[in-house]
Amino acid sequence: MQVAGNDTLGHHSQVIIQYFFAGGDMSAKQKQDAGITHEGIFFAQEQLHEMHDQMLFIRRFEEKAGQMYGLKKIGGFCHLCNGQEAVCVGMQHAAEATDYMMTSYRDHGHILARGSDPTAVMAELLGRAGGVVKGKGGSMHMFDADKNFAGGNGIVGEQVPIGLGFGFSSWYKEDGRVTICIMGDGGINQGAVYESFNMAALWKLPIVFMVENNQYAMGTSLDRASAETQLFKRGISFKIPGMKIDGMDVLEFEKKMSEAIEHARSGKGPILVEAMTYRYRGHSMSDPATYRTREEVDEWRTGRDPIARLQAQMIEAGLATEDSFKQKDRDIKKEVAAIAKAAEAQPEPDAAELWTDIYTDPIEGAYPYPGKVG
Amino acid sequence: MSKITYREALNQAMAEEMSRDKNVFLMGEEVAEYNGAYKVSQGLLDKFGPKRVIDTPITELGFAGLGVGAAMTGLRPVIEFMTWNFAMLALDQIVNAAAKMKYMSGGQYSVPMVFRGAGGSAARVGAQHSQSLENWMANVPGLKVVMPSNPADAKGLLKASIRDNDTVVFIENEINYGDVGEVPDEEYIIPLGKADVKRAGSDVTIVAHSRMTGFALTAAKELAKEGIEAEIIDPRTIRPLDENTIITSVAKTNCAVVVEEGWRFAGIGAEISARIMERAFDDLDSPVIRVTGKDVPMPYAANLEALALPSVRDIVEAARTACGRA
């Protein structure tokens, strides 16, 4: 594990080819063992395909969301995560299903990677009854308690003290779970984050604080907002070790995130992970992103794209071909289109839903009365 | 019945609920080893240990959010603010997280917790440590706001609040902590959302909460000497409000005075006055009169401080005017 001070970025993974497709005739043993070994960690082909398909699915889902937003079918704020898919997917492969997770408002990719029903996620964006939170939250407030996904929080940094509470709960109950508390490079400047770092370290709570450093907090670049731009060092004053991970390489991210999660689970206390990533789109749909150059965006998009990278690795390892990826892309696009159609066909929430889910124990006969204006 | 202080009543409520439910824990500044800044948590560390009675750094926003997250996993946090003045640092977690979590998550996550601590004016501590902000909290759907005025209510209401499955803002009164009152020996719960008629009367309705309930009861004694029988209603729960008890009383007395320590503008008195106007307009013989704190930051000098707060005399005069006996 890298501790604060050791920058691991810039390292390039070594792809070790296990077996080549030789005209497609592999033995059963070879099929079973086919995969990629990255930094000593073996990823079987099934997992590689799953990771690839999930990342591509998120990419196409977000593109569809952007399109639906342009058609004014999605309202309000809509923050897309195109470019950041390896972080969403790598983390899910590293975490257990029972681990807790919460993030900010850039949450579509995370909840999809977590395994929530994509039709319900799209329905939520469209404000439909079958939305993942019944049409009450929208883009910024995605929750799925069955998947231990606790939002979808709209106030920058707000989810960090909440994540502290989830971690505290695991300490209190001794349930062996880890909380993965995600924030952005903007969120990490909030005071609430340092209050949380302090208590998490003081009580050795099982939390991975994960910063998605996509270089811009809305329109403000990292160096204009942060005195210390090496964000993984932000935990030093709290004795929280930090790791910097290439968030554009899903295999590297999965490997390092697994180490971070293991650190937290083993009782050593919290750890801070900085995921170096990039969002291809603006901060939200209303942001034309004029604060950065076309060249910079292209450099990330074409040079470091996480999906293209994994595809190249898998082709090199003989686990897929360009044609098979093209076919997969067509299938996923078709799937996403069907999902959008199904979500759009859903009714809006019943008017009575306006008044539900405010209290678990509503008090009868006391004002204001749920369901009545007067 | 036993005679105990308001502070001891709160302490008993927490101790009983912590014994009953292992998911209840108390967290805040100085709650454990120091036994509470106001000694409300006296002895709880010894009784329940450091895992369930937890001292925090001075970090209100952080530990308020910790409570929200813990409650979302099914624990039952009691988060103490040394005073509610400091809770303003934690408003994001109370208003934007705790109050809205159930709604935003489509009913998936409840936040069953209590934020509690001393509120209202204290004595000679100046503008930042002496104020009533319950109207801020009472404005927010998703929160319940409870303010006990005596030891028996304090115990029964805190037990109900800890058992409640929603977020309860429980505002104690710093000056009332030493008040002694009779408290039942057997276990009891006072349901939230129920007002209490602290004194029956037929001439004027006086609605007062927290420390002002005591002021109103003293005023009622003065008024009785003049032949005016005041009915004193303590809402106990500010949100949601048991307005029916107030409306029923106004139907009998045909006039009302609303008392609060806090500022007048958009205060609790404004809300209650509006509800009386909306629901009991035809019962009123005179306008509802509000007795409130003056519209100034709390001064330090003893004479100025006294002038800034509602007095028994203010209540007496308002009641006389309301029932046409000025």
Side-chain angles (χ1 to χ4, degrees):
Chain A
M1 174 179 312
Q2 300 297 318
V3 293
N6 293 337
D7 183 349
T8 67
L9 195 69
H11 152 92
H12 294 284
S13 63
Q14 296 293 313
V15 178
I16 299 169
I17 301 162
Q18 297 290 305
Y19 293 95
F20 289 98
F21 273 109
D25 60 337
M26 291 199 311
S27 69
K29 170 82 172 68
Q30 282 174 323
K31 262 185 186 166
Q32 196 190 334
D33 290 350
I36 295 172
T37 297
H38 170 82
E39 291 284 295
I41 302 292
F42 178 70
F43 292 90
Q45 62 172 343
E46 292 78 14
Q47 190 183 2
L48 293 165
H49 277 292
E50 195 181 314
M51 285 174 152
H52 168 268
D53 294 355
Q54 286 172 334
M55 289 198 293
L56 191 57
F57 183 88
I58 292 169
R59 174 76 52 89
R60 298 304 177 221
F61 185 97
E62 291 289 67
E63 284 171 357
K64 178 57 89 176
Q67 193 186 11
M68 304 286 267
Y69 191 91
L71 294 168
K72 300 195 188 313
K73 290 177 177 176
I74 294 172
F77 299 138
C78 186
H79 310 87
L80 305 180
C81 71
N82 306 41
Q84 302 182 201
E85 297 89 350
V87 177
C88 303
V89 171
M91 181 162 53
Q92 296 302 338
H93 281 258
E96 300 290 335
T98 47
D99 290 340
Y100 295 121
M101 201 163 291
M102 64 285 304
T103 186
S104 69
Y105 41 76
R106 199 175 305 283
D107 56 358
H108 314 166
H110 287 300
I111 197 167
L112 289 171
R114 196 69 176 146
S116 293
D117 173 15
T119 307
V121 175
M122 185 59 86
E124 190 57 41
L125 291 170
L126 294 164
R128 294 300 202 269
V132 71
V133 294
K134 306 198 283 193
K136 291 180 170 180
S139 169
M140 294 188 288
H141 305 303
M142 301 276 181
F143 291 81
D144 192 339
D146 289 341
K147 305 281 184 194
N148 294 304
F149 187 79
N153 296 278
I155 306 298
V156 174
E158 175 188 47
Q159 73 278 13
V160 181
I162 294 173
L164 177 76
F166 277 79
F168 173 86
S169 177
S170 291
W171 171 83
Y172 191 91
K173 294 175 179 172
E174 297 175 19
D175 62 12
R177 298 182 186 205
V178 168
T179 294
I180 298 158
C181 185
I182 308 161
M183 71 202 87
D185 54 285
I188 199 168
N189 286 325
Q190 286 279 27
V193 172
Y194 301 95
E195 298 191 19
S196 303
F197 280 3
N198 187 37
M199 284 183 275
L202 192 60
W203 301 324
K204 290 202 178 329
L205 304 183
I207 303 172
V208 178
F209 294 106
M210 208 277 283
V211 189
E212 290 173 303
N213 181 358
N214 65 18
Q215 333 284 331
Y216 293 89
M218 201 167 156
T220 305
S221 62
L222 186 64
D223 58 353
R224 289 205 300 129
S226 293
E228 172 54 87
T229 55
Q230 300 282 313
L231 299 180
F232 69 98
K233 296 180 181 171
R234 290 285 187 94
I236 289 173
S237 300
F238 307 96
K239 298 184 176 175
I240 298 178
M243 295 169 77
K244 187 170 189 171
I245 314 181
D246 184 352
M248 304 302 274
D249 179 346
V250 71
L251 304 186
E252 171 73 0
F253 195 80
E254 198 276 351
K255 176 183 185 285
K256 290 284 170 58
M257 195 65 190
S258 295
E259 291 171 15
I261 291 170
E262 175 51 30
H263 173 97
R265 208 185 304 283
S266 69
K268 291 177 188 154
I271 184 162
L272 173 60
V273 168
E274 179 183 10
M276 300 306 293
T277 185
Y278 200 79
R279 64 169 152 76
Y280 296 165
R281 306 290 294 262
H283 165 71
S284 69
M285 288 304 296
S286 59
D287 171 22
T290 50
Y291 42 82
R292 54 189 197 187
T293 63
R294 162 72 50 197
E295 292 70 37
E296 179 186 303
V297 179
D298 284 347
E299 188 192 320
W300 284 84
R301 270 188 112 128
T302 55
R304 301 181 64 175
D305 183 78
I307 298 171
R309 183 177 199 155
L310 183 61
Q311 286 183 348
Q313 288 172 311
M314 289 173 72
I315 290 168
E316 193 186 346
L319 303 174
T321 62
E322 275 187 31
D323 283 347
S324 70
F325 281 133
K326 277 181 185 157
Q327 184 56 45
K328 175 58 73 178
D329 196 16
R330 281 192 292 271
D331 292 346
I332 286 175
K333 280 179 174 163
K334 215 180 279 178
E335 190 188 348
V336 169
I339 284 166
K341 202 171 168 194
E344 210 181 343
Q346 288 184 14
E348 289 187 311
D350 192 277
E353 281 293 335
L354 180 65
W355 297 101
T356 62
D357 302 323
I358 302 165
Y359 293 104
T360 303
D361 297 334
I363 295 172
E364 296 293 322
Y367 169 79
Y369 307 100
K372 285 188 194 167
V373 176
Chain B
M1 300 286 255
S2 302
K3 285 200 160 190
I4 62 170
T5 62
Y6 185 98
R7 149 189 305 119
E8 287 163 339
L10 294 164
N11 181 283
Q12 287 183 5
M14 288 193 285
E16 288 177 18
E17 291 308 299
M18 290 178 76
S19 298
R20 187 186 59 81
D21 182 354
K22 65 177 176 15
N23 286 327
V24 179
F25 68 91
L26 172 66
M27 171 176 277
E29 293 153 4
E30 310 289 6
V31 297
E33 296 196 7
Y34 194 84
N35 279 307
Y38 294 97
K39 304 298 168 208
V40 174
S41 58
Q42 181 99 46
L44 295 183
L45 174 64
D46 287 346
K47 205 175 278 180
F48 297 102
K51 192 160 188 173
R52 298 185 64 194
V53 183
I54 304 149
D55 280 327
T56 64
I58 299 171
T59 183
E60 284 85 5
L61 178 57
F63 66 73
L66 187 155
V68 174
M72 288 169 75
T73 71
L75 294 181
R76 300 233 159 210
V78 177
I79 298 294
E80 177 175 312
F81 294 119
M82 195 181 288
T83 77
W84 274 92
N85 304 292
F86 315 141
M88 277 185 278
L89 289 159
L91 271 187
D92 179 55
Q93 288 295 334
I94 302 170
V95 175
N96 262 326
K100 298 170 182 170
M101 197 58 75
K102 189 173 180 71
Y103 200 81
M104 290 195 304
S105 68
Q108 293 180 69
Y109 283 104
S110 297
V111 186
M113 67 181 297
V114 177
F115 290 111
R116 52 157 289 272
S121 65
R124 309 294 309 283
V125 291
Q128 292 182 329
H129 286 74
S130 208
Q131 58 195 327
S132 301
L133 303 173
E134 58 268 27
N135 54 329
W136 294 21
M137 300 292 139
N139 192 239
V140 183
L143 298 179
K144 292 170 178 169
V145 182
V146 177
M147 295 185 76
S149 67
N150 66 38
D153 286 356
K155 182 173 178 183
L157 288 167
L158 184 54
K159 283 170 70 78
S161 298
I162 294 171
R163 294 184 191 192
D164 198 272
N165 290 308
D166 296 307
T167 303
V168 179
V169 165
F170 193 94
I171 306 177
E172 298 149 16
N173 189 283
E174 194 168 331
I175 292 176
N176 287 145
Y177 277 137
D179 288 1
V180 174
E182 290 208 321
V183 171
D185 293 321
E186 67 282 4
E187 184 172 37
Y188 67 100
I189 295 279
I190 296 176
L192 304 187
K194 297 274 179 258
D196 191 34
V197 179
K198 297 295 186 193
R199 182 188 194 276
S202 54
D203 297 324
V204 57
T205 299
I206 303 177
V207 184
H209 64 273
S210 192
R211 183 167 170 237
M212 290 297 109
T213 309
F215 279 40
L217 286 166
T218 306
K221 280 184 197 157
E222 293 289 314
L223 291 163
K225 290 178 196 162
E226 303 168 19
I228 299 171
E229 293 301 329
E231 181 144 297
I232 312 296
I233 297 173
D234 177 2
R236 302 195 291 196
T237 300
I238 305 297
R239 182 195 181 95
L241 182 72
D242 176 10
E243 61 169 4
N244 290 329
T245 298
I246 297 168
I247 301 300
T248 303
S249 177
V250 172
K252 178 171 68 176
T253 63
N254 307 115
C255 59
V257 172
V258 188
V259 189
E260 68 183 308
E261 214 174 54
W263 295 306
R264 193 176 188 85
F265 191 95
I268 302 300
E271 181 61 44
I272 293 175
S273 300
R275 285 311 280 174
I276 294 172
M277 183 274 289
E278 287 169 341
R279 286 200 51 205
F281 186 76
D282 292 335
D283 290 324
L284 286 174
D285 286 342
S286 62
V288 176
I289 298 177
R290 283 183 285 161
V291 176
T292 68
K294 306 299 183 297
D295 197 34
V296 297
M298 187 65 72
Y300 168 71
N303 64 326
L304 296 180
E305 184 183 66
L307 285 170
L309 290 167
S311 66
V312 171
R313 174 136 304 279
D314 293 337
I315 300 170
V316 168
E317 285 172 5
R320 282 190 195 128
T321 304
C323 65
R325 309 264 289 270

